[in-house]
Amino acid sequence: MKIDAANLDFEQLNKALKNVQGDSIVDNCLGQRFIGVKRNSGKLTLNGTPGNALGAYLDGAVIEVFGNAQDAVGDTMNDGKIIIHGSAGDALGLAMRGGEIYVKENAGYRAGIHMKEYQEKKPVIVIGGSAGSFLGEYMAGGLIIVLGLGATKLPLKNFTGTGMHGGKMIVRTKQLPEGLPPQVSAAKASMADLQEILPYLTQFSALFTISLTPKKEDFFVLKPNAKNPYTKLYTEN
Amino acid sequence: MLKEGSVRIPSGCAISGIIDTSGARFSGEAIIKSISVMRERSNGLGGGFAAYGIYPEYKDYYALHIFFDSSAVRKACEEFLERHFDIINLSKIPTHTVKEITDAPRIWRYFVTPLPTKLAASGLCEREFTSKCVFRINTQITGAYVFSSGKNMGVFKGVGYPEDIGRYFGLQNYFGYAFTAHGRYPTNTPGWWGGAHPFALLDYTVVHNGEISSYDANRRAIEPYGYTCTLQTDTEVITYIIDYLHRKKGLLMEEIASVIAAPFWETIARFNTSVQEKYEYLRTVFAGQLITGPFSIIAGFEGGLMALNDRLKLRSMVVAEKGTKTYIASEEAAIRMVEPDVENVFAPDGGEPIIVRLRGEAHGN
């Protein structure tokens, strides 16, 4: 099923998509919000610039965007996959709790803010280029991978992992990230870390036809640095 | 109806801006199309535009755009204007019937220049004289509100969705080198015509998405310098801060960005010592002008636009280019609506000003 979104507002487009079972292609997306919300099966191929909250609460469907995405992609996503052949705006994968997001280029501020994991549910975000400030802010679980492709310097900006208390960020960089908050520790990746990310790197390579030759020396791992790092953050207890 | 200041309503908003750095003038049609894409970001309680370079035939005169509640108020205000200015042209601002736009005030435009005798007697420079007169009208003539007061530029705004306000004023018939636009979703104050964005003083205009948390600290810091905040609207105080720092203190736009969206002390500590001193100086001397809380703004001034986010970047903003044009908007879609093949799309960092000037324009501003 093919839909031309050129003259559709977000309500009309999402109503049209609701009535379609199976795979769909949407052409001329331009700022329509909430595309693919809660979708649990099939594949949506989007051409253009979809609006905010793309794939919010996504529950198993696959969304592939040929273009850039805006803010809050995969908000509270539970399952499925979002693939962006371009860059993503701010708050990518906010409060995400399952599924995978692959971004070919860069992500804006606060990617992976408040991601979480529980038992078999473990969300993953792979950013091909660089991430904006506050990457993994309040991160409580899951995995964020930043590949820094095309980056001439550290592919992270300020305040990475502020308030982080769970999960893991793995960053491809030769230079130890500086200016991290005291609650976050950075260390060279281990073989086990590399094993953990390999399946996602293979996916990334296949999706965007970019060849990667990952070596563990190229990666740093960022984790919360103690069991309860916030014990004395606000009060003496 | 209760206006700004009498009632608090706990918003989103949309902003957009286009500038042609070659100075070539283009129709306001493009900015209407751009802002209309972000309709969901506003709620019909305010829309407006700033347009630069639209009055070349009157470029040496201040263009005062004024809302009047009644003809009687207009007469009183015109008497004031005649006492202080030489009025070389006055007319109703042309409007068109748009069914969504109702309850419009009387909207007039005056091209004026200060009376030489009055100006000499005041001992003020022309711009200070004119801005003082704007404040006198807005604070002392109840029912009259000057919402635009620069040269060769104008603000057009009102209650409604921005695309409807654009049609109401026939913005497509105005040709300028730069435009900004705003779709309002008021959070703290009710929507009335004066409260819509852009806010303006002389040629400075601001469109703003966000809700600053330093409003009252900023208000208290700016009022002793002759500004009266009449609307309890945060954007008003941002406009006055920019006017104060640029026109009165002579700061560069880049420096103004480092005052209102100053880097955190811990970020400054990581800078090279050579620039550290500058940032420390600006933060210390102009502490009262630091703006906190979420904002993304486009500030217009003669010959350019400045886009700026708060330092934590709690609002979105995208910048892109194509040929001699630079586009700024809350969402990329609003840019691609006007220019589908736009290039160099990027999102500026929090506190990182994007300043775009007409080519050949002196960098003194």
Side-chain angles (χ1 to χ4, degrees), chain B residues 36-56:
Chain B
S36 69
V37 176
M38 301 183 286
R39 192 175 166 92
E40 285 78 44
R41 297 181 80 95
S42 41
N43 69 352
L45 287 179
F49 303 84
Y52 287 85
I54 55 171
Y55 298 136

mmCIF file with all atom_site columns, all heavy atoms in Angstrom, chain B residues 36-56:
data_model
loop_
_atom_site.group_PDB
_atom_site.id
_atom_site.type_symbol
_atom_site.label_atom_id
_atom_site.label_alt_id
_atom_site.label_comp_id
_atom_site.label_asym_id
_atom_site.label_entity_id
_atom_site.label_seq_id
_atom_site.pdbx_PDB_ins_code
_atom_site.Cartn_x
_atom_site.Cartn_y
_atom_site.Cartn_z
_atom_site.occupancy
_atom_site.B_iso_or_equiv
_atom_site.pdbx_formal_charge
_atom_site.auth_seq_id
_atom_site.auth_comp_id
_atom_site.auth_asym_id
_atom_site.auth_atom_id
_atom_site.pdbx_PDB_model_num
ATOM 1   N N   . SER B 1 36 ? 3.111  27.501 8.735  1.00 0.00 ? 36 SER B N   1
ATOM 2   C CA  . SER B 1 36 ? 1.848  26.748 8.699  1.00 0.00 ? 36 SER B CA  1
ATOM 3   C C   . SER B 1 36 ? 2.076  25.249 8.894  1.00 0.00 ? 36 SER B C   1
ATOM 4   O O   . SER B 1 36 ? 1.183  24.542 9.360  1.00 0.00 ? 36 SER B O   1
ATOM 5   C CB  . SER B 1 36 ? 1.114  26.995 7.376  1.00 0.00 ? 36 SER B CB  1
ATOM 6   O OG  . SER B 1 36 ? 1.825  26.389 6.311  1.00 0.00 ? 36 SER B OG  1
ATOM 7   N N   . VAL B 1 37 ? 3.281  24.750 8.585  1.00 0.00 ? 37 VAL B N   1
ATOM 8   C CA  . VAL B 1 37 ? 3.575  23.319 8.735  1.00 0.00 ? 37 VAL B CA  1
ATOM 9   C C   . VAL B 1 37 ? 3.549  22.912 10.213 1.00 0.00 ? 37 VAL B C   1
ATOM 10  O O   . VAL B 1 37 ? 3.270  21.783 10.559 1.00 0.00 ? 37 VAL B O   1
ATOM 11  C CB  . VAL B 1 37 ? 4.964  22.998 8.143  1.00 0.00 ? 37 VAL B CB  1
ATOM 12  C CG1 . VAL B 1 37 ? 5.345  21.550 8.362  1.00 0.00 ? 37 VAL B CG1 1
ATOM 13  C CG2 . VAL B 1 37 ? 4.980  23.331 6.670  1.00 0.00 ? 37 VAL B CG2 1
ATOM 14  N N   . MET B 1 38 ? 3.824  23.888 11.090 1.00 0.00 ? 38 MET B N   1
ATOM 15  C CA  . MET B 1 38 ? 3.936  23.571 12.520 1.00 0.00 ? 38 MET B CA  1
ATOM 16  C C   . MET B 1 38 ? 2.668  23.954 13.286 1.00 0.00 ? 38 MET B C   1
ATOM 17  O O   . MET B 1 38 ? 2.732  24.350 14.441 1.00 0.00 ? 38 MET B O   1
ATOM 18  C CB  . MET B 1 38 ? 5.166  24.267 13.094 1.00 0.00 ? 38 MET B CB  1
ATOM 19  C CG  . MET B 1 38 ? 6.450  23.846 12.379 1.00 0.00 ? 38 MET B CG  1
ATOM 20  S SD  . MET B 1 38 ? 7.950  24.566 13.063 1.00 0.00 ? 38 MET B SD  1
ATOM 21  C CE  . MET B 1 38 ? 7.819  26.255 12.492 1.00 0.00 ? 38 MET B CE  1
ATOM 22  N N   . ARG B 1 39 ? 1.524  23.797 12.613 1.00 0.00 ? 39 ARG B N   1
ATOM 23  C CA  . ARG B 1 39 ? 0.250  24.203 13.204 1.00 0.00 ? 39 ARG B CA  1
ATOM 24  C C   . ARG B 1 39 ? 0.017  23.570 14.579 1.00 0.00 ? 39 ARG B C   1
ATOM 25  O O   . ARG B 1 39 ? -0.525 24.199 15.482 1.00 0.00 ? 39 ARG B O   1
ATOM 26  C CB  . ARG B 1 39 ? -0.881 23.813 12.259 1.00 0.00 ? 39 ARG B CB  1
ATOM 27  C CG  . ARG B 1 39 ? -2.215 24.419 12.614 1.00 0.00 ? 39 ARG B CG  1
ATOM 28  C CD  . ARG B 1 39 ? -3.247 24.068 11.562 1.00 0.00 ? 39 ARG B CD  1
ATOM 29  N NE  . ARG B 1 39 ? -4.582 24.363 12.028 1.00 0.00 ? 39 ARG B NE  1
ATOM 30  C CZ  . ARG B 1 39 ? -5.197 25.518 11.822 1.00 0.00 ? 39 ARG B CZ  1
ATOM 31  N NH1 . ARG B 1 39 ? -4.606 26.476 11.159 1.00 0.00 ? 39 ARG B NH1 1
ATOM 32  N NH2 . ARG B 1 39 ? -6.413 25.715 12.296 1.00 0.00 ? 39 ARG B NH2 1
ATOM 33  N N   . GLU B 1 40 ? 0.438  22.317 14.748 1.00 0.00 ? 40 GLU B N   1
ATOM 34  C CA  . GLU B 1 40 ? 0.177  21.629 16.031 1.00 0.00 ? 40 GLU B CA  1
ATOM 35  C C   . GLU B 1 40 ? 0.949  22.251 17.183 1.00 0.00 ? 40 GLU B C   1
ATOM 36  O O   . GLU B 1 40 ? 0.681  21.966 18.339 1.00 0.00 ? 40 GLU B O   1
ATOM 37  C CB  . GLU B 1 40 ? 0.574  20.151 15.938 1.00 0.00 ? 40 GLU B CB  1
ATOM 38  C CG  . GLU B 1 40 ? -0.400 19.306 15.153 1.00 0.00 ? 40 GLU B CG  1
ATOM 39  C CD  . GLU B 1 40 ? -0.236 19.473 13.641 1.00 0.00 ? 40 GLU B CD  1
ATOM 40  O OE1 . GLU B 1 40 ? 0.903  19.472 13.162 1.00 0.00 ? 40 GLU B OE1 1
ATOM 41  O OE2 . GLU B 1 40 ? -1.260 19.632 12.957 1.00 0.00 ? 40 GLU B OE2 1
ATOM 42  N N   . ARG B 1 41 ? 1.929  23.072 16.886 1.00 0.00 ? 41 ARG B N   1
ATOM 43  C CA  . ARG B 1 41 ? 2.695  23.689 17.968 1.00 0.00 ? 41 ARG B CA  1
ATOM 44  C C   . ARG B 1 41 ? 2.006  24.912 18.525 1.00 0.00 ? 41 ARG B C   1
ATOM 45  O O   . ARG B 1 41 ? 2.432  25.463 19.543 1.00 0.00 ? 41 ARG B O   1
ATOM 46  C CB  . ARG B 1 41 ? 4.085  24.090 17.473 1.00 0.00 ? 41 ARG B CB  1
ATOM 47  C CG  . ARG B 1 41 ? 4.938  22.946 17.015 1.00 0.00 ? 41 ARG B CG  1
ATOM 48  C CD  . ARG B 1 41 ? 6.292  23.434 16.572 1.00 0.00 ? 41 ARG B CD  1
ATOM 49  N NE  . ARG B 1 41 ? 7.156  23.669 17.700 1.00 0.00 ? 41 ARG B NE  1
ATOM 50  C CZ  . ARG B 1 41 ? 8.027  22.786 18.182 1.00 0.00 ? 41 ARG B CZ  1
ATOM 51  N NH1 . ARG B 1 41 ? 8.152  21.605 17.601 1.00 0.00 ? 41 ARG B NH1 1
ATOM 52  N NH2 . ARG B 1 41 ? 8.773  23.071 19.212 1.00 0.00 ? 41 ARG B NH2 1
ATOM 53  N N   . SER B 1 42 ? 0.968  25.408 17.836 1.00 0.00 ? 42 SER B N   1
ATOM 54  C CA  . SER B 1 42 ? 0.267  26.582 18.353 1.00 0.00 ? 42 SER B CA  1
ATOM 55  C C   . SER B 1 42 ? -1.209 26.245 18.511 1.00 0.00 ? 42 SER B C   1
ATOM 56  O O   . SER B 1 42 ? -1.674 25.187 18.088 1.00 0.00 ? 42 SER B O   1
ATOM 57  C CB  . SER B 1 42 ? 0.480  27.792 17.444 1.00 0.00 ? 42 SER B CB  1
ATOM 58  O OG  . SER B 1 42 ? 0.427  27.448 16.085 1.00 0.00 ? 42 SER B OG  1
ATOM 59  N N   . ASN B 1 43 ? -1.935 27.144 19.147 1.00 0.00 ? 43 ASN B N   1
ATOM 60  C CA  . ASN B 1 43 ? -3.338 26.815 19.413 1.00 0.00 ? 43 ASN B CA  1
ATOM 61  C C   . ASN B 1 43 ? -4.300 27.899 18.964 1.00 0.00 ? 43 ASN B C   1
ATOM 62  O O   . ASN B 1 43 ? -5.442 27.961 19.408 1.00 0.00 ? 43 ASN B O   1
ATOM 63  C CB  . ASN B 1 43 ? -3.536 26.506 20.902 1.00 0.00 ? 43 ASN B CB  1
ATOM 64  C CG  . ASN B 1 43 ? -3.373 27.732 21.773 1.00 0.00 ? 43 ASN B CG  1
ATOM 65  O OD1 . ASN B 1 43 ? -2.958 28.784 21.280 1.00 0.00 ? 43 ASN B OD1 1
ATOM 66  N ND2 . ASN B 1 43 ? -3.700 27.621 23.036 1.00 0.00 ? 43 ASN B ND2 1
ATOM 67  N N   . GLY B 1 44 ? -3.861 28.784 18.093 1.00 0.00 ? 44 GLY B N   1
ATOM 68  C CA  . GLY B 1 44 ? -4.779 29.786 17.563 1.00 0.00 ? 44 GLY B CA  1
ATOM 69  C C   . GLY B 1 44 ? -4.895 31.028 18.415 1.00 0.00 ? 44 GLY B C   1
ATOM 70  O O   . GLY B 1 44 ? -5.678 31.921 18.129 1.00 0.00 ? 44 GLY B O   1
ATOM 71  N N   . LEU B 1 45 ? -4.114 31.094 19.505 1.00 0.00 ? 45 LEU B N   1
ATOM 72  C CA  . LEU B 1 45 ? -4.214 32.273 20.374 1.00 0.00 ? 45 LEU B CA  1
ATOM 73  C C   . LEU B 1 45 ? -3.087 33.278 20.132 1.00 0.00 ? 45 LEU B C   1
ATOM 74  O O   . LEU B 1 45 ? -2.819 34.125 20.973 1.00 0.00 ? 45 LEU B O   1
ATOM 75  C CB  . LEU B 1 45 ? -4.239 31.840 21.845 1.00 0.00 ? 45 LEU B CB  1
ATOM 76  C CG  . LEU B 1 45 ? -5.558 31.188 22.260 1.00 0.00 ? 45 LEU B CG  1
ATOM 77  C CD1 . LEU B 1 45 ? -5.508 30.763 23.716 1.00 0.00 ? 45 LEU B CD1 1
ATOM 78  C CD2 . LEU B 1 45 ? -6.732 32.145 22.041 1.00 0.00 ? 45 LEU B CD2 1
ATOM 79  N N   . GLY B 1 46 ? -2.450 33.202 18.988 1.00 0.00 ? 46 GLY B N   1
ATOM 80  C CA  . GLY B 1 46 ? -1.432 34.201 18.677 1.00 0.00 ? 46 GLY B CA  1
ATOM 81  C C   . GLY B 1 46 ? -0.579 33.780 17.494 1.00 0.00 ? 46 GLY B C   1
ATOM 82  O O   . GLY B 1 46 ? -0.129 32.647 17.422 1.00 0.00 ? 46 GLY B O   1
ATOM 83  N N   . GLY B 1 47 ? -0.414 34.707 16.576 1.00 0.00 ? 47 GLY B N   1
ATOM 84  C CA  . GLY B 1 47 ? 0.469  34.455 15.436 1.00 0.00 ? 47 GLY B CA  1
ATOM 85  C C   . GLY B 1 47 ? 1.022  35.785 14.984 1.00 0.00 ? 47 GLY B C   1
ATOM 86  O O   . GLY B 1 47 ? 0.369  36.820 15.166 1.00 0.00 ? 47 GLY B O   1
ATOM 87  N N   . GLY B 1 48 ? 2.232  35.781 14.448 1.00 0.00 ? 48 GLY B N   1
ATOM 88  C CA  . GLY B 1 48 ? 2.759  37.064 14.007 1.00 0.00 ? 48 GLY B CA  1
ATOM 89  C C   . GLY B 1 48 ? 4.037  36.935 13.215 1.00 0.00 ? 48 GLY B C   1
ATOM 90  O O   . GLY B 1 48 ? 4.651  35.861 13.164 1.00 0.00 ? 48 GLY B O   1
ATOM 91  N N   . PHE B 1 49 ? 4.420  38.048 12.626 1.00 0.00 ? 49 PHE B N   1
ATOM 92  C CA  . PHE B 1 49 ? 5.565  38.091 11.718 1.00 0.00 ? 49 PHE B CA  1
ATOM 93  C C   . PHE B 1 49 ? 6.344  39.378 11.930 1.00 0.00 ? 49 PHE B C   1
ATOM 94  O O   . PHE B 1 49 ? 5.764  40.414 12.236 1.00 0.00 ? 49 PHE B O   1
ATOM 95  C CB  . PHE B 1 49 ? 5.083  38.059 10.267 1.00 0.00 ? 49 PHE B CB  1
ATOM 96  C CG  . PHE B 1 49 ? 4.234  36.861 9.938  1.00 0.00 ? 49 PHE B CG  1
ATOM 97  C CD1 . PHE B 1 49 ? 2.867  36.848 10.216 1.00 0.00 ? 49 PHE B CD1 1
ATOM 98  C CD2 . PHE B 1 49 ? 4.811  35.730 9.373  1.00 0.00 ? 49 PHE B CD2 1
ATOM 99  C CE1 . PHE B 1 49 ? 2.088  35.734 9.932  1.00 0.00 ? 49 PHE B CE1 1
ATOM 100 C CE2 . PHE B 1 49 ? 4.037  34.614 9.074  1.00 0.00 ? 49 PHE B CE2 1
ATOM 101 C CZ  . PHE B 1 49 ? 2.675  34.617 9.360  1.00 0.00 ? 49 PHE B CZ  1
ATOM 102 N N   . ALA B 1 50 ? 7.670  39.298 11.729 1.00 0.00 ? 50 ALA B N   1
ATOM 103 C CA  . ALA B 1 50 ? 8.480  40.508 11.599 1.00 0.00 ? 50 ALA B CA  1
ATOM 104 C C   . ALA B 1 50 ? 9.038  40.483 10.193 1.00 0.00 ? 50 ALA B C   1
ATOM 105 O O   . ALA B 1 50 ? 9.445  39.427 9.698  1.00 0.00 ? 50 ALA B O   1
ATOM 106 C CB  . ALA B 1 50 ? 9.616  40.514 12.613 1.00 0.00 ? 50 ALA B CB  1
ATOM 107 N N   . ALA B 1 51 ? 9.024  41.626 9.537  1.00 0.00 ? 51 ALA B N   1
ATOM 108 C CA  . ALA B 1 51 ? 9.455  41.694 8.143  1.00 0.00 ? 51 ALA B CA  1
ATOM 109 C C   . ALA B 1 51 ? 10.441 42.837 8.001  1.00 0.00 ? 51 ALA B C   1
ATOM 110 O O   . ALA B 1 51 ? 10.136 43.977 8.383  1.00 0.00 ? 51 ALA B O   1
ATOM 111 C CB  . ALA B 1 51 ? 8.238  41.904 7.239  1.00 0.00 ? 51 ALA B CB  1
ATOM 112 N N   . TYR B 1 52 ? 11.634 42.539 7.487  1.00 0.00 ? 52 TYR B N   1
ATOM 113 C CA  . TYR B 1 52 ? 12.706 43.534 7.379  1.00 0.00 ? 52 TYR B CA  1
ATOM 114 C C   . TYR B 1 52 ? 12.940 43.923 5.923  1.00 0.00 ? 52 TYR B C   1
ATOM 115 O O   . TYR B 1 52 ? 13.000 43.055 5.051  1.00 0.00 ? 52 TYR B O   1
ATOM 116 C CB  . TYR B 1 52 ? 14.006 42.976 7.972  1.00 0.00 ? 52 TYR B CB  1
ATOM 117 C CG  . TYR B 1 52 ? 13.961 42.905 9.485  1.00 0.00 ? 52 TYR B CG  1
ATOM 118 C CD1 . TYR B 1 52 ? 13.401 41.808 10.136 1.00 0.00 ? 52 TYR B CD1 1
ATOM 119 C CD2 . TYR B 1 52 ? 14.442 43.963 10.256 1.00 0.00 ? 52 TYR B CD2 1
ATOM 120 C CE1 . TYR B 1 52 ? 13.347 41.760 11.519 1.00 0.00 ? 52 TYR B CE1 1
ATOM 121 C CE2 . TYR B 1 52 ? 14.394 43.920 11.638 1.00 0.00 ? 52 TYR B CE2 1
ATOM 122 C CZ  . TYR B 1 52 ? 13.849 42.821 12.267 1.00 0.00 ? 52 TYR B CZ  1
ATOM 123 O OH  . TYR B 1 52 ? 13.792 42.762 13.637 1.00 0.00 ? 52 TYR B OH  1
ATOM 124 N N   . GLY B 1 53 ? 13.061 45.219 5.693  1.00 0.00 ? 53 GLY B N   1
ATOM 125 C CA  . GLY B 1 53 ? 13.334 45.714 4.348  1.00 0.00 ? 53 GLY B CA  1
ATOM 126 C C   . GLY B 1 53 ? 12.074 45.970 3.540  1.00 0.00 ? 53 GLY B C   1
ATOM 127 O O   . GLY B 1 53 ? 12.136 46.093 2.321  1.00 0.00 ? 53 GLY B O   1
ATOM 128 N N   . ILE B 1 54 ? 10.929 46.081 4.234  1.00 0.00 ? 54 ILE B N   1
ATOM 129 C CA  . ILE B 1 54 ? 9.653  46.167 3.505  1.00 0.00 ? 54 ILE B CA  1
ATOM 130 C C   . ILE B 1 54 ? 9.228  47.589 3.150  1.00 0.00 ? 54 ILE B C   1
ATOM 131 O O   . ILE B 1 54 ? 8.300  47.773 2.380  1.00 0.00 ? 54 ILE B O   1
ATOM 132 C CB  . ILE B 1 54 ? 8.506  45.496 4.300  1.00 0.00 ? 54 ILE B CB  1
ATOM 133 C CG1 . ILE B 1 54 ? 8.407  46.091 5.705  1.00 0.00 ? 54 ILE B CG1 1
ATOM 134 C CG2 . ILE B 1 54 ? 8.699  43.985 4.334  1.00 0.00 ? 54 ILE B CG2 1
ATOM 135 C CD1 . ILE B 1 54 ? 7.177  45.645 6.464  1.00 0.00 ? 54 ILE B CD1 1
ATOM 136 N N   . TYR B 1 55 ? 9.861  48.594 3.766  1.00 0.00 ? 55 TYR B N   1
ATOM 137 C CA  . TYR B 1 55 ? 9.433  49.973 3.496  1.00 0.00 ? 55 TYR B CA  1
ATOM 138 C C   . TYR B 1 55 ? 10.572 50.816 2.918  1.00 0.00 ? 55 TYR B C   1
ATOM 139 O O   . TYR B 1 55 ? 10.923 51.859 3.478  1.00 0.00 ? 55 TYR B O   1
ATOM 140 C CB  . TYR B 1 55 ? 8.949  50.642 4.791  1.00 0.00 ? 55 TYR B CB  1
ATOM 141 C CG  . TYR B 1 55 ? 7.759  50.000 5.457  1.00 0.00 ? 55 TYR B CG  1
ATOM 142 C CD1 . TYR B 1 55 ? 7.738  49.806 6.854  1.00 0.00 ? 55 TYR B CD1 1
ATOM 143 C CD2 . TYR B 1 55 ? 6.626  49.633 4.731  1.00 0.00 ? 55 TYR B CD2 1
ATOM 144 C CE1 . TYR B 1 55 ? 6.649  49.251 7.487  1.00 0.00 ? 55 TYR B CE1 1
ATOM 145 C CE2 . TYR B 1 55 ? 5.526  49.064 5.368  1.00 0.00 ? 55 TYR B CE2 1
ATOM 146 C CZ  . TYR B 1 55 ? 5.547  48.878 6.742  1.00 0.00 ? 55 TYR B CZ  1
ATOM 147 O OH  . TYR B 1 55 ? 4.465  48.332 7.373  1.00 0.00 ? 55 TYR B OH  1
ATOM 148 N N   . PRO B 1 56 ? 11.172 50.390 1.806  1.00 0.00 ? 56 PRO B N   1
ATOM 149 C CA  . PRO B 1 56 ? 12.332 51.142 1.293  1.00 0.00 ? 56 PRO B CA  1
ATOM 150 C C   . PRO B 1 56 ? 11.987 52.596 0.948  1.00 0.00 ? 56 PRO B C   1
ATOM 151 O O   . PRO B 1 56 ? 12.829 53.481 1.092  1.00 0.00 ? 56 PRO B O   1
ATOM 152 C CB  . PRO B 1 56 ? 12.749 50.342 0.048  1.00 0.00 ? 56 PRO B CB  1
ATOM 153 C CG  . PRO B 1 56 ? 11.572 49.521 -0.320 1.00 0.00 ? 56 PRO B CG  1
ATOM 154 C CD  . PRO B 1 56 ? 10.841 49.243 0.951  1.00 0.00 ? 56 PRO B CD  1
#
